């Protein structure tokens, strides 16, 4: 009899970006009946055409899709509807494993699966970064810590993607807590990309003799792009361009800030050529206030590009201050300015850091991360194969 697995996330992009290899492994290698529950209609944070093609592909394979409109906030009216739909679906299907991601969806999953757990369903929650960490404000601890600890009572496995979260989760109630090195980055693919840096800079509107700083991430408060713009405003260097890839509600605000400080900022929106852009950049900036791990930082370092980053929990798993770049407090404008100025002023320094960057990202290579996750699947589901 086929084992039945449900994978849950708030939106479809989270499945496509971070779980498509897991979906394929469970279906093809483990021989499971795989269900996916998420908001299949929300595609504002992805390439809609590509995502629809991905959904059609997995549907044609036999993956079963459930369209549940999760809200990012647990306090919205549609959260009640999502809970009822989820509970009904879990009670009917008798899953062997439920693997849930993203905070609000995971709260609803664990509440919905209480009866199923008593009948043998294993509930696993992958935390992609607790909102409470060593550098987090007190309000985050007050709001999020009690909820996550309490919900761990209804969790069999907690999987964390950074070491600080792993240590903290071990104090919770879940019977198993595991660490995996993120969701994986194709390090070799990024390293092997060959670009004409001068030509690529010109293509995106940057003078070929100017420095390029690259950030990849949504234009939201958590990504903290404004601190880099303010740092560049202090430097007043006309030879540095700040390139941001991503979409989001803060674009107008960031554009206005750049214009007021006379900072050269290029907003590229959603891009498919991130490996090429990483290999074109001279410096990468990753100043997030919260980051479970941060694929964008690892991708830049996989191209040998030194990082100026915040010193929050997930990023600290691979950034080595003074060797792979420089890390600062998220609001330290002067610190970011000094780090950028130092890196921009020395070709030799950036070249020396290149090898340290490449070495630091080796543990996060795609195959290492996937094998860590797949070994947990085998442990829970047994080493069954399709057709047996």
């Amino acid at each position: 009899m086929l084992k039945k697995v449900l994978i849950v996330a708030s939106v479809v992009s989270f499945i496509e970006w971070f779980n498509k290899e897991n979906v394929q492994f469970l279906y093809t290698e483990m021989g499971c009946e795989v269900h996916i529950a998420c908001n299949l209609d929300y595609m504002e944070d992805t390439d809609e055409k590509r995502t629809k093609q991905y959904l059609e592909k997995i549907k044609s394979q036999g993956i079963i899709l459930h369209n549940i409109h999760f809200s990012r906030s647990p306090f919205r009216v549609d959260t009640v509807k999502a809970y009822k739909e989820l509970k009904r679906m879990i009670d009917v299907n008798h899953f062997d494993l439920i693997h849930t991601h993203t905070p609000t969806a995971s709260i609803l999953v664990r509440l919905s699966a209480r009866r199923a757990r008593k009948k043998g369903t294993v509930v696993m929650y992958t935390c992609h970064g607790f909102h409470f960490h060593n550098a987090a404000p007190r309000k985050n601890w007050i709001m999020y810590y009690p909820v996550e600890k309490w919900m761990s009572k209804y969790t069999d496995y907690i999987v964390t993607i950074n070491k600080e979260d792993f240590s903290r989760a071990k104090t919770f109630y879940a019977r198993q807590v595991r660490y995996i090195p993120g969701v994986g980055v194709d390090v070799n693919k990024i390293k092997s990309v060959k670009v004409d840096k001068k030509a690529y800079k010109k293509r995106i509107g940057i003078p070929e003799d100017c420095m390029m700083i690259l950030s990849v991430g949504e234009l939201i408060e958590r990504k903290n792009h404004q601190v880099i713009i303010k740092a560049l405003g202090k430097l007043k260097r006309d030879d540095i361009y700040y390139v941001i890839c991503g979409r989001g509600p803060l674009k107008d605000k960031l554009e206005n800030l750049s214009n007021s400080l006379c900072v050269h900022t290029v907003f590229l929106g959603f891009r498919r050529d991130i490996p090429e852009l990483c290999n074109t950049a001279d410096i990468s900036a990753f100043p997030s206030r919260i980051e479970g791990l941060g694929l964008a930082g690892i991708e830049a370092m996989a191209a040998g590009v030194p990082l100026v980053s915040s010193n929050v929990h997930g990023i600290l798993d691979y950034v080595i201050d003074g060797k792979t770049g420089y890390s600062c407090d998220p609001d330290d404008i002067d610190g970011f300015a000094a780090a950028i100025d130092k890196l921009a002023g020395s070709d030799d320094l950036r070249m020396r850091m290149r090898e340290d960057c490449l070495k630091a990202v080796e543990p996060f290579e795609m195959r290492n991360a996937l094998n860590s996750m797949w070994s947990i699947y085998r442990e829970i589901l047994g080493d069954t194969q399709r057709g047996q």
Side-chain angles (χ1 to χ4, degrees), residues 155-159 166 169-170 173-178 379:
T155 315
D156 298 294
Y157 282 68
I158 294 178
V159 178
F166 174 66
K170 287 197 294 185
Y173 299 111
R175 61 186 175 87
Q176 295 285 348
V177 178
R178 303 296 175 83
E379 178 181 322

Side-chain angles (χ1 to χ4, degrees), residues 75-183:
F75 305 110
R76 294 174 61 113
V77 175
D78 49 4
T79 297
V80 176
K81 182 181 178 183
Y83 169 77
K84 290 179 178 178
E85 292 175 352
L86 191 62
K87 189 175 188 308
R88 189 180 308 115
M89 186 254 292
I90 289 172
D91 287 344
V92 166
N93 279 283
H94 309 293
F95 295 106
D96 295 282
L97 168 65
I98 300 174
H99 187 185
T100 183
H101 307 259
T102 64
T104 300
S106 295
I107 290 173
L108 297 185
V109 166
R110 288 177 284 181
L111 291 174
S112 301
R114 286 176 293 176
R115 181 186 300 173
R117 285 183 70 229
K118 292 177 181 178
K119 296 180 179 180
T121 298
V122 175
V123 174
M124 177 162 61
Y125 168 44
T126 293
C127 169
H128 294 264
F130 288 132
H131 286 272
F132 45 92
H133 53 84
N134 291 342
R138 182 177 175 82
K139 67 178 182 179
N140 284 30
W141 283 87
I142 294 170
M143 291 174 61
Y144 300 113
Y145 176 79
V147 175
E148 287 285 9
K149 185 163 185 176
W150 181 259
M151 293 310 302
S152 70
K153 289 176 179 282
Y154 309 112
T155 315
D156 298 294
Y157 282 68
I158 294 178
V159 178
T160 68
I161 63 171
N162 69 64
K163 293 173 183 176
E164 182 184 328
D165 285 349
F166 174 66
S167 296
R168 188 153 289 120
K170 287 197 294 185
T171 69
F172 289 1
Y173 299 111
R175 61 186 175 87
Q176 295 285 348
V177 178
R178 303 296 175 83
Y179 163 79
I180 64 172
V183 295

Side-chain angles (χ1 to χ4, degrees), residues 185 215-217 223 278 284 286 294-301 307 318:
V185 170
S215 282
V216 178
K223 294 298 183 179
C278 286
S284 179
F286 201 43
L295 294 185
I298 296 173
E299 287 172 342
M301 286 171 56
L307 206 62
Y318 52 87

Side-chain angles (χ1 to χ4, degrees), residues 47-75:
D47 182 316
E48 186 171 342
K49 181 179 178 181
R50 185 199 65 204
T51 299
K52 286 182 176 179
Q53 289 174 343
Y54 169 68
L55 291 176
E56 286 303 316
K57 175 186 173 183
I58 61 176
K59 279 171 64 179
S60 70
Q61 289 180 318
I63 308 298
I64 301 165
L65 304 179
H66 304 269
N67 192 5
I68 297 181
H69 285 200
F70 293 105
S71 170
R72 290 195 174 188
S73 168
F75 305 110

Side-chain angles (χ1 to χ4, degrees), residues 211-215 240 281-285 305-308 339-341 343-344 350:
M211 300 291 300
M212 171 180 162
I213 301 176
L214 176 67
S215 282
I240 298 178
D282 302 289
I283 301 167
S284 179
V305 179
L307 206 62
V308 290
I340 291 169
D341 199 38
L343 286 168
R350 296 195 307 277

